[in-house]
Amino acid sequence: MTILSRKIEIPHFTSIKSDAWEELPQDIIENTPSGTKVILAVDPTVEKLYGKKLKSIFDKHKVSFCDEIIIEDSDQNQVDKLSQLILKNNAGLVLGVGGGRTLDVSQYASHCNKIPFISVPTTPSHDGIFSPVAVIRNNNKTSSIKVNMPLGVVVDLEILQNAPIDLIKAGIGDTISNLSAVKDWQKSYQVKHCKVFDGYSALQSKLAYERLVTIRKMPLNSKEFLQILVEGLILNGMAMEMANNSLPCSGAEHMFSHALDIIGPKRSLHGLQVAVGTLITECLRGEDLTEILKLFDKFNLPKSPYDLGFNKEETLEALKLAPSTRAERYSILNEVEIDEGVIIKLEYWKIL
Ligand SMILES: [Zn+2]
């Protein structure tokens, strides 16, 4: 019998509620050694919209930042700039406030300098808000890098309510994609391509998905819905941390999205692309799409690559290119030839 043990990082604190920012200074005081120097990393939009609010909250509690940086992009250059500030100030914590790019740069720079990072997302657009992976661009190449988990995550539902509705839908899409990802992971294990299928990580991933299936229809920017969505995104991050890879939340539907990014960069959002990718991969698996299409209707999600700005030829090209974006992984795309039969199936479900 094989005895496996594993070390996982879980957050010291998780705060998802209205006015969660008001308690941020206290969260920092309670979870770091006294005198810890904090660097604030924000994206330009957050600085514009909430810069004053954030600073007045910290002033009220007499907590100050030793330095501040505005993160313009998620590239190595920005990581280096933040690293220099960490070293110059002998900082002991980075507070990252903003969208995916700011969080990725903050988390990676903290990881490189062996100091903790607190994630304060202002949109719920993907599961990078709390995960063991940072996506960083270097010399036009984008890499997903394994990093330490955040020390904590603070989500202010009042702030999240102001997120554009498409970014909320993208977060839903990234969670729905778990359905496809877990199937690919299981299949990869069955054909002995990967050595481990961790049922517990898969369970977390499926739980996040199932909560979206069972929730009643309600406004996507309501606090009740955003709470459930963010909890699901955090479950996704924990599933990846437990599996020690992204397999519980990333399969062929993510490869399809990576391929779309190559064919038509920045045309649509990651979460919306993987949502459509999930419909396509479920179709390739020969599944009946009736129920999942109802789920897409409930959240008014895009149901075709056309809705994302990609035509039929580009979609087929992306499907052929997709396996090469994660060549080391096995997925449904290894088992299906993209031919006329596939086109007929996709047309039957009105995906193409
Ligand atoms: Zn994703």
Side-chain angles (χ1 to χ4, degrees):
M1 191 170 80
T2 310
I3 298 171
L4 294 171
S5 69
R6 57 179 159 188
K7 199 169 150 253
I8 59 162
E9 288 184 72
I10 56 173
H12 283 224
F13 63 98
T14 306
S15 172
I16 311 165
K17 57 184 178 185
S18 293
D19 292 326
W21 281 15
E22 294 292 334
E23 293 170 15
L24 253 176
Q26 201 55 34
D27 291 332
I28 293 174
I29 291 166
E30 285 172 8
N31 291 283
T32 58
S34 76
T36 296
K37 292 182 179 174
V38 185
I39 292 186
L40 173 66
V42 289
D43 67 34
T45 319
V46 169
E47 172 63 22
K48 207 166 111 197
L49 295 177
Y50 306 117
K52 276 189 190 151
K53 178 185 167 90
L54 256 180
K55 274 154 218 153
S56 83
I57 291 171
F58 276 79
D59 285 348
K60 242 190 297 180
H61 290 80
K62 301 197 169 28
V63 177
S64 56
F65 299 111
C66 66
D67 220 326
E68 182 184 335
I69 180 169
I70 295 181
I71 306 290
E72 309 276 354
D73 206 349
S74 54
D75 62 12
Q76 187 60 41
N77 211 0
Q78 299 283 302
V79 174
D80 294 342
K81 274 190 189 166
L82 177 50
S83 284
Q84 281 161 15
L85 286 188
I86 292 171
L87 289 172
K88 189 181 97 186
N89 291 286
N90 195 20
L93 177 78
V94 175
L95 182 71
V97 186
R101 286 181 210 152
T102 304
L103 301 182
D104 281 336
V105 168
S106 305
Q107 190 170 7
Y108 185 44
S110 312
H111 173 87
C112 294
N113 290 281
K114 299 185 174 61
I115 63 170
F117 150 73
I118 294 176
S119 175
V120 186
T122 50
T123 66
S125 57
H126 56 75
D127 48 31
I129 62 169
F130 181 77
S131 82
V133 178
V135 180
I136 302 292
R137 205 160 36 79
N138 197 359
N139 292 329
N140 287 329
K141 193 176 169 285
T142 304
S143 311
S144 299
I145 305 162
K146 177 85 173 70
V147 287
N148 292 332
M149 287 292 269
L151 177 74
V153 56
V154 177
V155 184
D156 191 322
L157 294 176
E158 303 269 350
I159 302 285
L160 232 56
Q161 283 192 296
N162 298 325
I165 215 78
D166 265 357
L167 293 181
I168 299 175
K169 286 186 190 177
I172 299 170
D174 211 14
T175 307
I176 285 179
S177 76
N178 294 4
L179 171 76
S180 163
V182 170
K183 286 184 185 178
D184 276 337
W185 189 14
Q186 203 149 22
K187 195 65 197 256
S188 173
Y189 179 66
Q190 275 166 7
V191 300
K192 298 190 167 49
H193 190 89
C194 77
K195 288 198 181 85
V196 178
F197 173 77
D198 174 27
Y200 193 70
S201 307
L203 174 67
Q204 291 254 1
S205 166
K206 282 195 270 187
L207 264 178
Y209 165 76
E210 288 294 340
R211 291 186 82 195
L212 292 180
V213 173
T214 52
I215 195 172
R216 67 184 162 81
K217 190 171 169 141
M218 64 177 83
L220 299 185
N221 62 353
S222 65
K223 287 181 193 167
E224 188 185 351
F225 179 73
L226 288 169
Q227 172 107 27
I228 292 194
L229 176 61
V230 168
E231 287 171 357
L233 294 171
I234 290 174
L235 283 178
N236 288 355
M238 278 313 298
M240 290 189 265
E241 168 68 4
M242 281 190 277
N244 200 26
N245 57 53
S246 62
L247 285 166
C249 305
S250 173
E253 74 301 322
H254 269 66
M255 298 179 204
F256 172 68
S257 172
H258 298 325
L260 291 182
D261 288 337
I262 294 168
I263 292 166
K266 296 187 176 158
R267 251 185 244 180
S268 187
L269 296 164
H270 168 82
L272 301 180
Q273 291 181 177
V274 297
V276 171
T278 299
L279 286 182
I280 293 176
T281 53
E282 282 292 272
C283 184
L284 297 185
R285 292 184 187 100
E287 299 285 358
D288 181 337
L289 301 192
T290 313
E291 289 306 316
I292 192 166
L293 283 170
K294 284 184 196 162
L295 184 65
F296 274 58
D297 283 336
K298 180 162 77 177
F299 300 120
N300 197 17
L301 295 181
K303 292 187 284 191
S304 159
Y306 302 143
D307 302 330
L308 308 172
F310 292 90
N311 63 28
K312 183 174 172 178
E313 287 67 37
E314 288 170 323
T315 304
L316 296 174
E317 192 189 337
L319 279 173
K320 287 175 189 160
L321 180 65
S324 68
T325 64
R326 294 303 297 259
E328 75 287 3
R329 289 196 175 174
Y330 188 90
S331 77
I332 184 65
L333 294 168
N334 293 78
E335 300 188 346
V336 178
E337 198 73 49
I338 306 301
D339 57 12
E340 200 54 41
V342 163
I343 296 171
I344 290 168
K345 274 192 204 171
L346 292 171
E347 286 176 344
Y348 172 82
W349 291 106
K350 299 190 171 54
I351 296 170
L352 272 187

